[in-house]
């Protein structure tokens, strides 16, 4: 698959094109050009490092939404084994924007919940671009309760623009569905590890993101409202999304500095999509480590600590 | 009118006329367009005496009426909002805050009070919509949680009147996490088996609706209130169709099974006290006499109307 380059990656794209051209020539000629390829590859890497060393929040937003960014389906395949998808909320419908099921992580059974945006147009429509409706959140809730009953840890992978703003979603109680998940997750007597793998959009993300360990991939974003939404309300134009992304502090490193996420998982050079396998490996190790840390706590302590953490969110002055 | 007055351009004339009437003495009812005398409207809890339209009411005024006169103690009143992100859009968040504080005389958008409802000890909270659209930031979340803690400590029920556009964007992710924080506190309240009555008033949207708003043991809506997750404009832009009449209004929610009942503001004390008394196995509280200024007060159990003042 051809790599897609973002605007700010153009210098990398140019070098990549040169390398490709040389490889093409090299394949059917006697001239030894491997030295030149080596030189260009090194140059490409250093240019990439340079660009990625000082990404603006808006550039990170674009990376988090990259069409080739590894998604929940990819990580299910790479980090887990024996995945069995479980469908439906038992009340209304199956919501394909949120994948739920049972799997094994290094042999250990876990409950898995993750947003899936879809990879091509047809899939994106089927999966509603990863925007979940109430039935999706209620399915997730059912799986979380199942996990609690059988003492399985819950792993959630977050990648959504936000909860779906549609007529049916409102009619079926979008607010109630999200609120109920927050309420139940705050007291769930089994470990919860959440990872923002792409976009963490608002209540739609939080509805599966109340966790004992809140992790973010390095170039993922997490925010109260999409930069476009924020811009169109506060700046009166969605074109100010870049400024909004800056102002809200949506990036993993900023949020970690603010103490709102527990850990940031480093991505391969150039972002997760440049080396998905390596990314999956790092993610898998982070998940195993997080669960191992939480295993030490009994259910009472786990819930107490989770609640203490939730109660600690916020900045205000007393008196 | 003298010949000179007639010569004056109409714009100047209107200026002059407007100045002669003090600002806000008369209020136009958004429901029936009747001109209402403000003092009288206030006596009627900002419910239009002509058409029963529920206008917005300030948080303090609401609690003032809702709680018994004695005892009353405000919870976490001294909390002051901060600007952890140094947020700036067309205006600085700091400036927006001080402007809102000046306009409302409140420090933030939620007021929480320990008090009594028909002599039942309760904690009641109310959102001040005029304070940055009743948006929920760190102070709102913390005050709510301290209210809930007070309930658990003193074995009291919690009541919250929501009126909010949602999470406060200027506190970004801190605001989003207030949803989880308030919901977690309510989970503890539920474990203590204490009632939580959530009253959704106009408007209750976004992050407030999708957390403490819809977690009530009993959920009450005020007539005609706009209640939902996504705003109507966002939905219209997404689905590219015009929304049905009455969409996301209280009556619509009742029909869809999202709320337990719609209660006229003037009956809120009676209805909420009666619910709480039953849930806590207390004797039925006395009904209060109907205010003489409310000739249009509906019967105790109003027929739910589906289309009323929904437009």
């Amino acid at each position: 698959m051809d790599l897609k380059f973002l605007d700010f990656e153009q210098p990398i794209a140019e070098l990549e094109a040169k390398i490709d051209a040389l490889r093409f020539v090299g394949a059917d000629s006697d001239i030894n050009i491997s030295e030149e390829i080596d030189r260009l590859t090194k140059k490409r890497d250093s240019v990439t490092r340079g660009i990625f060393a000082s990404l603006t929040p808006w550039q990170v937003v674009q990376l988090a939404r990259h069409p080739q960014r590894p998604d929940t389906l990819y990580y299910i395949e790479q980090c887990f084994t024996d995945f069995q998808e479980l469908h439906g909320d038992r009340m209304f419908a199956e919501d394909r924007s949120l994948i739920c099921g049972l799997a094994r992580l290094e042999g250990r059974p876990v409950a898995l919940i993750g947003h899936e945006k879809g990879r091509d147009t047809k899939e994106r429509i089927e999966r509603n671009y990863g925007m979940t409706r109430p039935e999706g959140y209620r399915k997730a809730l059912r799986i979380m309760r199942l996990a609690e009953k059988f003492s399985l840890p819950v792993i959630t992978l977050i990648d959504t623009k936000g909860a779906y703003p549609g007529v049916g979603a409102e009619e079926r109680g979008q607010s109630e569905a999200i609120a109920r998940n927050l309420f139940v997750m705050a007291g769930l007597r089994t470990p919860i590890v959440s990872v923002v793998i792409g976009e963490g959009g608002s209540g739609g993300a939080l509805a599966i993101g109340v966790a004992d360990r809140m992790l973010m991939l390095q170039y993922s974003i997490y925010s109260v409202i999409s930069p476009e939404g924020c811009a169109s309300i506060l700046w009166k134009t969605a074109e100010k999304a870049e400024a909004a992304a800056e102002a809200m502090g949506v990036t993993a490193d900023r949020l970690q500095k603010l103490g709102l996420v527990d850990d940031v998982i480093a991505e391969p050079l150039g972002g997760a999509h440049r080396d998905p396998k390596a990314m999956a490996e790092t993610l898998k190790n982070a998940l195993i480590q997080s669960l191992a840390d939480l295993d030490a706590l009994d259910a009472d302590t786990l819930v107490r600590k989770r609640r203490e953490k939730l109660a600690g969110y916020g900045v205000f002055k007393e008196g | 009118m003298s010949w000179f007055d007639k010569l004056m351009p109409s714009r100047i004339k209107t200026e002059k006329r407007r100045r002669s009437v003090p600002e806000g003495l008369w209020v136009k009812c958004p429901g029936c367009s009747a001109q209402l005398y403000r003092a009288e409207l206030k006596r009627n809890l900002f419910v239009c005496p002509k058409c029963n339209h529920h206008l917005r009411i300030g948080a303090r005024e609401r609690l003032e009426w809702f709680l018994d006169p004695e005892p009353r103690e405000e919870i976490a009143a001294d909390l002051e909002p901060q600007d952890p992100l140094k947020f700036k859009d067309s205006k600085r968040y700091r400036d927006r805050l001080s402007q809102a504080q000046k306009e409302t005389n409140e420090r933030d958008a939620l007021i929480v009070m320990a008090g009594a409802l028909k002599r039942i000890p309760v904690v009641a909270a109310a959102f001040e919509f005029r304070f940055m659209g009743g948006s929920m930031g760190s102070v709102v979340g913390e005050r709510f949680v301290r209210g809930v803690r007070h309930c658990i400590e003193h074995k009291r029920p919690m009541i919250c009147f929501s009126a909010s556009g949602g999470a406060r964007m200027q506190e970004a992710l801190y605001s989003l996490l207030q949803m989880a924080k308030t919901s977690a506190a309510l989970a503890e309240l539920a474990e203590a088996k204490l009632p939580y009555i959530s009253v959704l008033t106009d408007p209750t949207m976004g992050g407030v609706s999708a957390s403490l708003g819809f977690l009530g043991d009993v959920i009450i809506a005020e007539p005609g209130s706009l209640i939902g997750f996504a705003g109507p404009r966002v939905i219209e832009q997404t689905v590219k169709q015009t929304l049905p009449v009455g969409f996301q209004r209280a009556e619509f929610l009742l029909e869809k099974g999202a709320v337990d009942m719609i209660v006229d503001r003037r009956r809120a004390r009676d209805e909420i006290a009666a619910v709480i008394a039953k849930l806590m196995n207390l004797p039925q509280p006395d009904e209060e006499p109907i205010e003489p200024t409310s000739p249009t007060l509906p019967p105790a159990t109003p027929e739910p109307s589906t289309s009323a003042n929904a437009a």
Side-chain angles (χ1 to χ4, degrees), chain A residues 262-318:
Chain A
D262 298 312
D263 218 345
V264 177
I265 305 172
E267 296 195 18
L269 181 61
H273 61 287
R274 289 308 202 84
D275 193 348
K277 273 215 155 62
M279 183 74 258
E281 192 61 30
T282 321
L283 174 61
K284 185 179 169 182
N285 290 333
L287 291 174
I288 292 169
Q289 186 57 51
S290 298
L291 288 187
D293 293 347
L294 296 170
D295 279 340
L297 309 173
D298 61 75
D300 285 338
T301 317
L302 194 69
V303 170
R304 182 174 51 79
K305 283 191 170 243
R306 191 186 304 147
R307 284 183 179 165
E308 278 169 10
K309 181 170 150 181
L310 294 172
Y313 288 136
V315 174
F316 47 82
K317 207 170 85 191
E318 200 113 10

Side-chain angles (χ1 to χ4, degrees), chain A residues 21-39:
Chain A
L22 278 177
R23 279 207 183 108
F24 184 71
V25 174
D28 51 17
S29 82
D30 303 331
I31 321 157
N32 188 352
I33 46 164
S34 64
E35 249 175 56
E36 180 64 6
I37 291 180
D38 272 0
R39 194 185 64 79

Side-chain angles (χ1 to χ4, degrees), chain B residues 186-255:
Chain B
L186 287 171
E188 287 185 59
L189 187 75
E191 280 161 25
K193 304 235 180 284
L194 293 164
Y196 169 48
I197 312 298
S198 174
V199 187
L200 309 176
T201 79
D202 188 61
T204 301
M205 304 300 291
V208 169
S209 152
S211 59
L212 57 95
F214 270 98
L215 288 175
D217 292 306
V218 172
I219 302 175
I220 293 171
E222 280 198 344
S225 305
L226 186 74
I227 299 160
F229 180 66
R233 214 154 28 104
V234 176
I235 298 173
E236 267 181 345
Q237 280 164 9
T238 310
V239 300
K240 302 195 168 55
Q241 65 189 63
T242 45
L243 300 171
V245 174
F247 182 66
Q248 291 184 320
R249 296 286 168 184
E251 297 73 15
F252 171 91
L253 268 84
L254 186 73
E255 198 184 293

Side-chain angles (χ1 to χ4, degrees), chain B residues 258-273:
Chain B
V259 299
D260 288 287
M261 48 178 157
I262 295 177
V263 172
D264 187 288
R265 188 178 292 155
R266 294 159 294 182
R267 289 208 36 87
R269 269 177 64 86
D270 283 336
E271 295 284 354
I272 294 172

Side-chain angles (χ1 to χ4, degrees), chain A residues 163 165 170-171 175 179 183 186 202 206 224 233-235 247-248 258 307 310-311 313-319, chain B residues 78-80 82 85 87 89 138 142 146 169 172 176 178 181 187-188 191 209-211 214 228-230 238 248 252:
Chain A
E170 293 290 323
E171 286 178 343
S175 285
F183 182 89
S202 182
L206 188 65
V224 66
I233 297 171
L234 291 181
W235 279 266
M248 287 196 295
L258 296 173
R307 284 183 179 165
L310 294 172
Y313 288 136
V315 174
F316 47 82
K317 207 170 85 191
E318 200 113 10
Chain B
D78 59 347
L79 295 190
E80 181 79 41
Q82 300 292 299
L85 299 167
F87 194 99
D89 47 89
S138 298
E142 181 69 16
R146 293 208 191 168
M169 283 175 287
L176 185 74
Q178 300 310 307
K181 174 171 169 168
E188 287 185 59
E191 280 161 25
S209 152
S211 59
F214 270 98
F229 180 66
T238 310
Q248 291 184 320
F252 171 91

Side-chain angles (χ1 to χ4, degrees), chain B residues 101-133:
Chain B
Q101 288 173 334
K102 214 175 289 166
E103 279 170 15
T104 59
N105 226 0
E106 301 293 347
R107 286 189 181 177
D108 213 312
L110 184 78
I111 300 170
V112 185
M113 266 193 216
L117 171 63
K118 301 198 181 185
R119 291 193 297 280
I120 305 170
V122 300
V123 172
F127 279 80
E128 176 52 68
F129 188 74
R130 289 183 307 132
F131 195 107
M132 297 188 73

